[in-house]
Amino acid sequence: MTERKVRVRFAPSPTGALHIGGVRTALYNYLFARQHNGDLIFRIEDTDSNRFVPGAEEYIIESFKWLGIKFDEGVSFGGEHGPYRQSERRDIYKKYVQQLLDTDKAYIAFDTPAELDAKRAEIPNFQYDAHTRGSMRNSLTLSKEEVDNLIANGEQYVVRFKIEPNEDIHVNDMIRGDVVINSSILDDKVLYKSADELPTYHLANIVDDHLMEVTHVIRGEEWLPSAPLHVLLYRAFGWADTMPQFAHLPLLLKPDGKGKLSKRDGDRLGFPVFPLEWHDPKSGEVSSGYRESGYLPEAVLNFLALLGWNPGNDQELMTLDEMVQLFDIHRCSKAGAKFDYVKGIWFNHEYILKMSDEKVAEMFMPILKEHGIEAPMDKVVTVVGLMKGRVNFVKELWDTCKFFFVAPTEYDAKTVQKRWKEDSAEMMGKLADLLESLDDFSIENQEKVVMKWIEDNGYHTGNIMNAFRLTLVGEGKGPHMFDISAVLGKEETLTRMRRAIEVLK
Ligand code: GLU
């Protein structure tokens, strides 16, 4: 067999916001595609009209745009294997359903929901399969005429997959190895419903993966139970030779305790589980998103990449390109990955540090504007450079840095009590005079002159600096003192000092 070009797909159902676990699945598909010079397809699996949520598709597309995950083909991207929205592929599926019927791999069933309920009540653990199908209303028990008549009379039906019992089915999973399941535990899955003239997920998924020449199916662990059925479908169609290789990714687990990560965990512990803010069109409920919460997309991707995989050493910070180089699907863990959202915050901090001061300043500018501050860019860049190491989110820069832009109107009582001594007012007066005499207000010159002044007079450095800080900041925090005074400039520094002396003396 000739080597096939690697083709993978991310195939969400538009049933609501994209869960963060889905983002990780898409990311792993992206990394896999890129590192094999393959294609990444974006397919919308919208055959379940009951669960369709308007706006979900657009939301998903916008999420990946924000994250910087690019698809090669698919809904909104185009390509030669379209249409990529399953609801637009009805005719294609009909043909393949017919193929299964013609080859006796599937059959038509007329059992109504009421009839099925009655069977379930009658037979404990009822399953529609090789043991029971002979006693049901289907094309295996009815004559061809009866079947044709029922259909002609407009009776609704489904097409079921005829699963042969007692066979060990092997799913060769790139992460889990050889997974074996006996076919007897599977029921004759519904592949098609006449009522909406649409296939179910299983049929559409297999047909599309085949027609779109998908070589690897990388998806969440919750789909592992469907994999044996999918293997059987490939065989039933005669496509076993080109069956994709599977990889079922580990679950994302609650940050604390056991079980699968849910939206409730996010609400309870205060972190988003969706990439973007989501407005549920039905309930009107608004759920927070990583974007609106101030996360950088690069940080989110880096954080997610390490939930279920690691490069085999301690390296945690990786650009997307580095991840492409290092990613190895075989190194993914089978065990679930705890969703350590605190680590996610740490990643954001690290990415703010890595970002240029200019870029962070650009993001900080609108926040300053919101607070009524119009500051020159070079000042904002300097302040960001001094302060970005202290925040996890750009928006936190306001609280951390506002004293650079707004003079204190009050002085923190505790700090005053501790730091403002008997002679502080007098000392600050002298220091203000000294600073006023300087022509060169650079950090270095201020430091040189002031330190010499302290030394020559035998003053206490700590006392002077603490009081100085209180006059400029209003409390006991902030970076190096002369960094502050240099950014404020001589005039503003002296104004603040003299005002504090007035108020505190
Ligand atoms: N439509 C399925 C989902 O919503 C796709 C599962 C698969 O990748 O096969 O996740």
Side-chain angles (χ1 to χ4, degrees):
M1 204 168 49
T2 52
E3 274 285 308
R4 297 162 77 208
K5 183 178 191 193
V6 166
R7 285 171 61 81
V8 293
R9 83 297 194 273
F10 181 64
S13 298
T15 56
L18 176 63
H19 193 273
I20 199 73
V23 177
R24 187 201 52 179
T25 300
L27 172 63
Y28 283 16
N29 274 283
Y30 173 89
L31 298 176
F32 191 81
R34 287 290 85 82
Q35 70 180 189
H36 290 98
N37 296 314
D39 297 327
L40 174 60
I41 305 164
F42 179 62
R43 183 169 76 221
I44 288 288
E45 303 209 325
D46 57 349
T47 57
D48 188 350
S49 46
N50 295 323
R51 297 185 60 215
F52 179 82
V53 172
E57 180 185 303
E58 293 75 8
Y59 173 95
I60 297 169
I61 292 170
E62 164 126 16
S63 297
F64 289 121
K65 210 187 254 171
W66 176 66
L67 286 159
I69 292 193
K70 295 192 181 72
F71 292 84
D72 301 294
E73 53 187 270
V75 172
S76 86
F77 303 99
E80 314 222 305
H81 296 71
Y84 293 92
R85 209 179 270 116
Q86 290 187 330
S87 58
E88 293 166 19
R89 298 169 65 80
R90 285 166 197 265
D91 293 341
I92 299 173
Y93 304 128
K94 275 191 190 156
K95 184 178 131 203
Y96 288 100
V97 171
Q98 196 55 50
Q99 180 186 330
L100 292 181
L101 288 170
D102 292 345
T103 52
D104 210 20
K105 308 277 199 230
Y107 59 93
I108 292 173
F110 295 98
D111 319 87
T112 62
E115 285 167 345
L116 289 169
D117 281 344
K119 277 283 173 200
R120 285 189 200 106
E122 180 191 324
I123 306 170
N125 302 322
F126 171 79
Q127 176 167 280
Y128 208 125
D129 61 14
H131 296 285
T132 57
R133 64 171 84 108
S135 62
M136 306 296 289
R137 266 193 336 123
N138 55 47
S139 58
L140 303 172
T141 58
L142 304 169
S143 72
K144 171 126 184 18
E145 267 133 344
E146 284 173 297
V147 170
D148 290 346
N149 277 336
L150 286 170
I151 294 176
N153 289 337
E155 189 110 348
Q156 297 300 353
Y157 63 88
V158 298
V159 174
R160 287 184 180 270
F161 191 33
K162 195 168 148 198
I163 293 186
E164 304 300 340
N166 290 324
E167 190 208 337
D168 279 340
I169 310 160
H170 293 260
V171 177
N172 182 1
D173 188 290
M174 290 188 282
I175 298 172
R176 287 150 212 278
D178 185 26
V179 179
V180 191
I181 273 182
N182 193 278
S183 63
S184 295
I185 68 161
L186 302 175
D187 66 334
D188 289 355
K189 272 279 175 306
V190 172
L191 301 179
Y192 179 85
K193 293 178 184 153
S194 69
D196 50 11
E197 291 186 86
L198 274 171
T200 58
Y201 154 74
H202 299 291
L203 184 107
N205 190 267
I206 283 358
V207 167
D208 285 351
D209 281 348
H210 174 73
L211 294 178
M212 295 178 186
E213 297 176 66
V214 168
T215 56
H216 299 78
V217 166
I218 303 169
R219 61 184 173 189
E221 175 173 287
E222 64 272 29
W223 302 100
L224 184 58
S226 303
L229 171 73
H230 294 174
V231 170
L232 291 178
L233 274 166
Y234 281 107
R235 276 204 242 147
F237 278 119
W239 300 334
D241 283 354
T242 54
M243 183 166 74
Q245 271 202 277
F246 291 101
H248 291 91
L249 304 175
L251 277 181
L252 294 186
L253 304 174
K254 294 182 187 307
D256 52 349
K258 290 198 189 79
K260 211 173 124 181
L261 173 73
S262 73
K263 190 175 127 36
R264 283 230 217 103
D265 299 316
D267 296 341
R268 182 168 59 86
L269 298 166
F271 62 89
V273 296
F274 299 139
L276 315 180
E277 191 171 271
W278 168 249
H279 297 246
D280 190 296
K282 277 189 206 128
S283 66
E285 191 195 347
V286 179
S287 307
S288 66
Y290 278 84
R291 181 178 66 183
E292 290 74 11
S293 301
Y295 286 82
L296 303 169
E298 299 84 358
V300 174
L301 290 182
N302 197 157
F303 166 52
L304 289 178
L306 291 169
L307 293 175
W309 167 78
N310 68 68
N313 55 32
D314 299 339
Q315 186 179 358
E316 292 189 295
L317 293 171
M318 283 170 265
T319 64
L320 198 52
D321 282 342
E322 283 175 294
M323 288 184 230
V324 168
Q325 299 307 318
L326 295 168
F327 184 69
D328 180 355
I329 192 95
H330 301 278
R331 283 192 52 87
C332 286
S333 70
K334 293 196 258 289
K338 247 189 208 317
F339 194 80
D340 183 0
Y341 68 98
V342 178
K343 190 82 194 200
I345 297 172
W346 176 82
F347 271 106
N348 211 55
H349 171 80
E350 292 296 319
Y351 273 82
I352 289 176
L353 278 183
K354 283 212 307 184
M355 223 194 239
S356 73
D357 296 345
E358 286 74 15
K359 268 233 109 113
V360 178
E362 262 169 46
M363 297 171 73
F364 187 31
M365 263 315 195
I367 299 171
L368 286 169
K369 284 228 172 74
E370 270 171 41
H371 287 93
I373 307 291
E374 294 277 352
M377 193 56 169
D378 56 339
K379 176 175 176 181
V380 180
V381 171
T382 309
V383 169
V384 161
L386 289 172
M387 305 300 280
K388 69 177 184 181
R390 302 174 182 228
V391 299
N392 296 322
F393 297 96
V394 173
K395 64 181 176 207
E396 290 173 353
L397 279 171
W398 170 249
D399 266 341
T400 319
C401 312
K402 62 170 175 251
F403 62 87
F404 280 107
F405 305 97
V406 209
T409 50
E410 284 164 46
Y411 300 90
D412 178 62
K414 270 207 185 115
T415 318
V416 173
Q417 201 189 25
K418 221 168 135 199
R419 307 290 194 206
W420 195 259
K421 313 277 179 203
E422 284 279 287
D423 61 350
S424 288
E426 188 199 334
M427 288 299 175
M428 288 304 107
K430 286 185 185 162
L431 179 57
D433 292 344
L434 177 68
L435 292 174
E436 192 169 17
S437 73
L438 296 182
D439 287 328
D440 174 0
F441 210 65
S442 67
I443 300 170
E444 296 74 22
N445 195 48
Q446 287 186 66
E447 176 145 24
K448 196 180 82 195
V449 174
V450 174
M451 285 310 169
K452 184 165 186 309
W453 170 73
I454 291 176
E455 207 187 300
D456 289 350
N457 292 288
Y459 297 145
H460 186 274
T461 313
N463 286 350
I464 299 282
M465 288 301 156
N466 288 333
F468 187 24
R469 181 176 299 280
L470 186 61
T471 67
L472 297 191
V473 180
E475 49 188 314
K477 64 170 195 189
H480 189 60
M481 265 328 288
F482 299 111
D483 282 336
I484 304 177
S485 52
V487 171
L488 292 177
K490 188 157 133 184
E491 210 187 304
E492 176 69 10
T493 299
L494 295 179
T495 310
R496 289 191 188 189
M497 289 180 83
R498 291 192 168 126
R499 181 165 186 280
I501 295 166
E502 261 322 289
V503 176
L504 295 172
K505 72 173 178 214

